[in-house]
Amino acid sequence: FGLSQLHQLRGRIGRGPEKSYCILMTDGSGTADSYQRLQVMRRTNDGFKIAEKDLELRGPGEFVGTRQSGMPNFRFGNIIRDRKLLRAAELEAENYVDKIVEAADSEEHLARIAETWQDEFGLYEVG
């Protein structure tokens, strides 16, 4: 189980008026990561802290792809440690794209840009 799943399971225990307990146990043959997961569950009920540790342990998966966990093949930074820098890069990218869109003189030009990105990275418009 991942930390998020364990946190959800713990939240489903004891929803009634009676006091209840969630006891998480292993057979002792777990990995260092599984031990860390249990320690996080023991230390906090904060879903954000749990999700952050889960991300650190399992990895973000692919940003452009289908893997939902694991470290990306191209490592550009630590998603937890470098979050301020990554946010600044995200804002720069948004500003750059906004300038391209403002400069686009037609819907046809925007469609060509979208098609280029779709072909280059296998991205598809959603929504």
Side-chain angles (χ1 to χ4, degrees):
F1 291 104
L3 276 170
S4 297
Q5 291 168 311
L6 291 174
H7 182 60
Q8 287 178 338
L9 177 66
R10 179 170 59 185
R12 306 241 180 302
I13 307 281
R15 292 195 168 212
E18 303 298 322
K19 187 171 185 170
S20 59
Y21 299 90
C22 176
I23 300 172
L24 303 172
M25 299 171 29
T26 72
D27 63 3
S29 65
T31 65
D33 283 350
S34 61
Y35 178 75
Q36 282 185 310
R37 282 187 188 94
L38 287 174
Q39 291 305 310
V40 169
M41 295 299 293
R42 191 172 145 257
R43 284 191 298 261
T44 185
N45 288 322
D46 184 329
F48 290 106
K49 288 181 181 175
I50 290 171
E52 216 170 59
K53 187 65 175 179
D54 194 42
L55 177 62
E56 181 184 317
L57 291 171
R58 293 170 43 132
E62 296 174 327
F63 293 106
V64 180
T66 58
R67 276 187 332 151
Q68 294 185 11
S69 66
M71 291 300 169
N73 292 332
F74 177 68
R75 296 195 61 188
F76 52 88
N78 181 306
I79 201 164
I80 304 279
R81 182 193 67 224
D82 302 329
R83 79 174 140 232
K84 287 181 183 176
L85 178 62
L86 293 171
R87 179 66 180 143
E90 178 185 16
L91 293 173
E92 280 297 315
E94 286 175 0
N95 288 334
Y96 178 76
V97 170
D98 288 345
K99 288 177 185 175
I100 289 174
V101 170
E102 288 172 11
D105 52 8
S106 70
E107 288 292 319
E108 184 180 314
H109 183 72
L110 289 174
R112 249 182 286 128
I113 291 170
E115 186 178 318
T116 299
W117 283 97
Q118 181 181 33
D119 291 344
E120 184 79 18
F121 297 106
L123 301 177
Y124 297 92
E125 192 171 324
V126 177

